[in-house]
Amino acid sequence: MIARPEGGPRVVVGVDDSAGARCALSWAIGEARLRRLPLLVAHAAPLPPHVSAAGQLGCGITEALRGSGAELIARLLAEVSDGPPDGVEMTALALVGEPGATLVRLAGDDDILVVGHGTRSPFSRLLRPSVRLHCARRARATLVCVRPPAFDTLLECLTARDESPEHVPDSRFRRLGRRLRLPL
C-alpha cells in the first residue's frame, strides 16, 4: 500500500490507453482539485502469459513494462491536462500485475477509486477480464466508473460548431447523423 500524506483519503485512478481511461483521468483530476485531495495515477500492466509460465522475470521484461507504463501515464497527462495538473498533489505509478487486483490493493477504505467504463466484446472479456467489474466486486473504496461521452453529446458539440464559417457542410458526422435520423 502506498503511504498517504497525513493518512487522509486520496483519489486513485487506473489508466490504460482507452477513451474511458482518458475520461476517468480527467474526472479524477477535477475531483482531486475540487476536494483538495492527493491524486494517485496508476497503470498496471499484466505480465504476459509466456513470461510468467517460463519463469523469466529476471530478463528485463518487468522493467520494460514499467517503462512503457510510465510513458503512457506521461502521454495521457499531456493529452488530458497538458502535463501534471496544477493545484493537485500527484503521484504516478507504473506497476506490473493484474490491473483489477492492483487497483483494489492500492485503494484504501477512505479513498475514491476511479476507473473508465469501456465497451468490449464477449470474446475480449474472455481473454482479458473487466477491471471495472473486478473493482466493483472487491474494492473497499468508493468506486466511480466514468463513461466516455455518448454519441449524442459528441453530435451536440459538432452541431454547436455549425455556426462557424470553417464548418464543412457534409462532414462524416453529419452523414452518420442523417443515417441515424438525428436532427442536425
Side-chain angles (χ1 to χ4, degrees):
M1 176 100 52
I2 305 299
R4 293 182 194 114
E6 300 154 12
R10 62 191 171 168
V11 178
V12 179
V13 59
V15 296
D16 61 2
D17 198 12
S18 67
R22 285 174 177 78
C23 293
L25 179 60
S26 177
W27 191 92
I29 290 170
E31 190 69 13
R33 190 175 286 142
L34 178 70
R35 294 180 185 258
R36 294 187 173 100
L37 293 176
L39 175 68
L40 174 62
V41 181
H43 171 74
L47 200 60
H50 67 280
V51 172
S52 58
Q56 300 173 345
L57 294 179
C59 62
I61 295 202
T62 56
E63 289 81 17
L65 288 173
R66 284 189 187 117
S68 65
E71 290 172 7
L72 174 72
I73 291 172
R75 190 181 75 221
L76 288 177
L77 284 170
E79 289 176 14
V80 170
S81 66
D82 294 329
D86 296 329
V88 175
E89 179 185 337
M90 188 195 81
T91 305
L93 287 177
L95 304 168
V96 176
E98 290 302 315
T102 303
L103 290 174
V104 168
R105 276 195 313 272
L106 284 175
D109 292 338
D110 53 350
D111 292 339
I112 300 172
L113 177 58
V114 184
V115 294
H117 184 290
T119 56
R120 295 187 334 190
S121 68
F123 182 70
S124 172
R125 289 196 187 281
L126 279 175
L127 295 176
R128 210 176 72 226
S130 172
V131 173
R132 175 184 59 89
L133 291 177
H134 183 89
C135 292
R137 291 180 183 132
R138 293 178 178 85
R140 297 178 318 253
T142 301
L143 180 66
V144 178
C145 298
V146 181
R147 284 185 180 266
F151 185 72
D152 296 336
T153 308
L154 290 174
L155 282 177
E156 280 180 24
C157 293
L158 290 171
T159 56
R161 294 182 195 167
D162 282 348
E163 291 92 33
S164 65
E166 64 269 358
H167 173 71
V168 178
D170 199 27
S171 71
R172 165 172 62 154
F173 291 106
R174 183 171 288 284
R175 287 191 306 265
L176 183 60
R178 277 193 221 126
R179 199 175 312 143
L180 296 175
R181 295 189 176 111
L182 296 173
L184 291 178

